[in-house]
């Protein structure tokens, strides 16, 4: 059993904790939190042991009537791996504490790549983190890009990836984030930092990205143009992308026209918190013209990195193969959305631009 603790119990931390709890080869020892808020209440209801992330604030928990199992150092004494899900930059500050306690650590994409021995994506470079002490799971956008780029690179070779990322303004619980009514080039400098981040897990791919931020909390939308080194036909690429472990090709007949219906679908089929772990690629959008592939995909920023964290733990602590780990994670969490429709999408039909 791999003994795991989660430090930082926000958007990502709570989901990683649940995912770890579901693994047959992992034990969730506890979670560390800074304050006794509604998320602490929810963690207790789930039966998780709570630790005070900041020792000075331990009294806040007891004052609120919440029993804690100790403070962060106590949790670190009990575990093999900590998954740091603190806000960007806090993970790097925590690194030394983890090293002092001789605990391996998985960091998140908000940290710089130098925080860890390796950056991680299950599909792109699982083996690079084998036995590592410190690993960083790349961001939600980078995870979404890497899952598509890796198979395309393996199958066809890639001359150049150009990706436009339409980024959600904040997560549903992040009431202080925006924009409220605007579209921001973000970052305004081009190319954005996402391309170099993809190169932390796929170093040989030429990839330029640019970003915009819009007023939604639902998902990110990616518009991709990949110039391949060969000329597959559209159906072949569709089949390749459909065949990946963590992709969902949205069939035309499903009438899912955006993030709202995608999230509604996830809730309708009983996904916890309406989470969508898979890259959702519109089947109709996949189009190859010469060597140029185009597609639209959505990634759920709160969810897509969660299975990657589970696999990262296995890459560090076990000798399980990437395929075995991915299969186990997918099976335990219920990942692998496939349409129940028997679809034949037919030819791509261009429509007239009218706005
Ligand atoms: P969040 O703000 O939702 O959660 C962070 C939690 O850590 C909060 O509960 C906060 O109170 C707590 N915290 C603050 N300081 C702490 C400390 N010193 N010790 C312990 N806990 C502390 O943030 P998040 O969205 O879950 O992001 C966490 C990391 O995951 C960041 O690196 C982020 O870039 C990355 N990430 C976020 C998303 C996303 O869309 N939310 C997606 C992928 C990766």
């Amino acid at each position: 059993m791999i003994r795991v603790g989660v430090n930082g119990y926000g958007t990502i931390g709570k989901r990683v904790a649940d995912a770890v709890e579901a693994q047959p080869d992992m034990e969730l020892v506890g979670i560390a939190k800074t304050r006794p808020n509604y998320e602490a209440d929810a963690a207790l209801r789930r039966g998780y042991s709570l630790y005070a992330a900041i020792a000075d604030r331990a009294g806040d928990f007891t004052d609120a009537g919440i029993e804690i199992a100790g403070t962060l150092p106590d949790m670190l004494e009990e575990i093999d791996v900590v998954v740091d899900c603190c806000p960007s930059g806090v993970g790097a500050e925590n690194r030394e504490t983890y090293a002092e306690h001789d605990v391996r650590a998985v960091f998140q994409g908000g940290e710089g790549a130098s925080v860890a021995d390796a950056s991680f994506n299950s599909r792109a470079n699982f083996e690079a983190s084998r036995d590592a002490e410190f690993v960083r799971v790349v961001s939600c956008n980078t995870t979404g890009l890497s899952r598509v780029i890796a198979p395309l690179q393996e199958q066809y070779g890639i001359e150049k990836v150009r990706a436009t990322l339409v980024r959600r303004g904040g997560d549903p619980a992040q009431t202080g984030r925006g924009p409220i009514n605007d579209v921001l080039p973000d970052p305004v400098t081009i190319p954005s930092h996402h391309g170099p981040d993809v190169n932390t897990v796929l170093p040989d791919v030429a990839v330029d990205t640019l970003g915009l931020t819009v007023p939604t909390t639902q998902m990110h939308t990616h518009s991709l143009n990949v110039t391949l080194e060969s000329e597959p036909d559209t159906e072949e690429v569709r089949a390749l992308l459909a065949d990946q472990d963590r992709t969902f090709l949205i069939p035309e007949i499903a009438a899912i026209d955006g993030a709202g219906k995608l999230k509604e679908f996830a809730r309708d089929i009983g996904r916890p918190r309406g989470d969508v772990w898979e890259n959702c690629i519109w089947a109709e959008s996949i189009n190859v013209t010469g060597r140029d592939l185009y597609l639209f995909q959505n990634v759920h920023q709160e969810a897509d990195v969660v299975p990657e964290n589970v696999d990262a733990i296995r890459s560090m602590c076990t000798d399980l193969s990437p395929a075995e780990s991915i299969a186990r994670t997918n099976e335990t969490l219920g990942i692998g959305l496939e349409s129940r429709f028997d679809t034949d999408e037919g030819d791509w039909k261009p429509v007239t631009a009218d706005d």
Side-chain angles (χ1 to χ4, degrees):
M1 275 292 195
I2 310 167
R3 293 167 306 157
V4 183
V6 174
N7 187 23
Y9 194 73
T11 303
I12 302 300
K14 66 180 79 165
R15 289 171 167 82
V16 169
D18 292 353
V20 165
E21 174 78 355
Q23 302 310 308
D25 52 347
M26 297 182 194
E27 177 195 349
L28 180 72
V29 171
I31 60 115
K33 274 198 57 59
T34 53
R35 341 174 245 162
N37 65 355
Y38 72 96
E39 287 164 317
D41 182 320
L44 286 174
R45 287 169 197 261
R46 284 175 188 264
Y48 299 162
S49 295
L50 244 69
Y51 293 81
I54 298 169
D56 292 350
R57 297 199 202 156
D60 294 353
F61 288 85
T62 40
D63 289 351
I66 289 182
E67 195 183 328
I68 52 170
T71 58
L72 176 65
D74 298 321
M75 186 175 88
L76 296 177
E77 284 303 312
E78 299 293 322
I79 59 179
D80 305 305
V81 191
V82 61
V83 185
D84 185 294
C85 299
C86 294
S88 304
V90 178
E93 292 169 11
N94 291 335
R95 189 182 193 277
E96 202 178 315
T97 307
Y98 302 150
E100 281 166 9
H101 286 268
D102 207 15
V103 164
R104 294 175 199 248
V106 179
F107 296 97
Q108 306 307 311
E111 307 300 327
S114 61
V115 76
D117 309 318
S119 290
F120 181 88
N121 173 259
S122 306
R123 179 63 180 81
N125 74 337
F126 186 104
E127 292 292 355
S129 299
R130 193 64 87 185
D131 295 328
E133 296 290 319
F134 296 118
V135 167
R136 179 186 74 122
V137 170
V138 292
S139 75
C140 45
N141 277 305
T142 306
T143 296
L145 289 171
S146 303
R147 283 182 185 164
V148 168
I149 294 171
L152 292 173
Q153 186 193 29
E154 286 164 17
Q155 198 72 23
Y156 309 118
I158 287 178
E159 186 177 300
K160 181 88 181 181
V161 179
R162 297 169 190 86
T164 300
L165 315 178
V166 181
R167 307 162 65 190
R168 59 88 179 96
D171 296 336
Q174 290 177 318
T175 45
R177 285 181 64 153
I180 291 175
N181 179 20
D182 210 340
V183 180
L184 311 179
D186 180 22
V188 70
T189 49
I190 297 175
S192 73
H193 55 279
H194 303 92
D197 204 36
V198 170
N199 288 140
T200 66
V201 294
L202 289 165
D204 300 327
V205 177
V207 47
D208 282 345
T209 50
L210 51 95
L212 301 136
T213 299
V214 297
T216 174
T217 59
Q218 309 235 40
M219 297 177 105
H220 300 301
T221 299
H222 295 171
S223 158
L224 260 78
N225 163 218
V226 184
T227 306
L228 302 165
E229 288 176 348
S230 53
E231 285 189 38
D233 67 32
T234 297
E235 284 311 318
E236 208 184 306
V237 175
R238 276 192 192 137
L240 175 74
L241 294 177
D243 202 35
Q244 301 301 305
D245 289 311
R246 291 178 183 160
T247 59
F248 169 51
L249 253 60
I250 306 167
E252 185 175 2
I253 193 173
I256 292 174
D257 60 4
K261 290 198 181 78
L262 266 174
K263 298 295 299 295
E264 184 77 351
F265 179 48
R267 288 188 288 267
D268 286 347
I269 61 175
R271 285 287 177 95
R273 300 187 177 92
D275 280 353
V276 187
W277 300 290
E278 302 85 351
N279 283 30
C280 300
I281 306 169
W282 274 275
E284 301 150 86
S285 75
I286 299 171
N287 177 39
V288 184
T289 308
R291 290 192 291 120
D292 274 318
L293 160 68
Y294 298 91
L295 63 83
F296 283 128
Q297 67 172 2
N298 267 22
V299 294
H300 183 197
Q301 74 282 355
E302 299 169 287
D304 71 334
V305 298
V306 172
E308 311 291 319
N309 273 273
V310 172
D311 292 332
I313 293 169
R314 290 208 187 89
S315 75
M316 301 161 83
C317 302
T318 74
D319 56 7
L320 239 61
S321 71
E324 286 170 319
S325 177
I326 290 168
R328 188 175 297 177
T329 307
N330 286 0
E331 192 187 330
T332 49
L333 299 184
I335 299 175
L337 204 47
E338 275 182 28
S339 171
R340 294 293 166 96
F341 299 118
D342 183 13
T343 56
D344 178 20
E345 294 297 337
D347 293 332
W348 178 76
K349 299 177 199 70
V351 293
T352 312
D354 61 0
D355 64 359

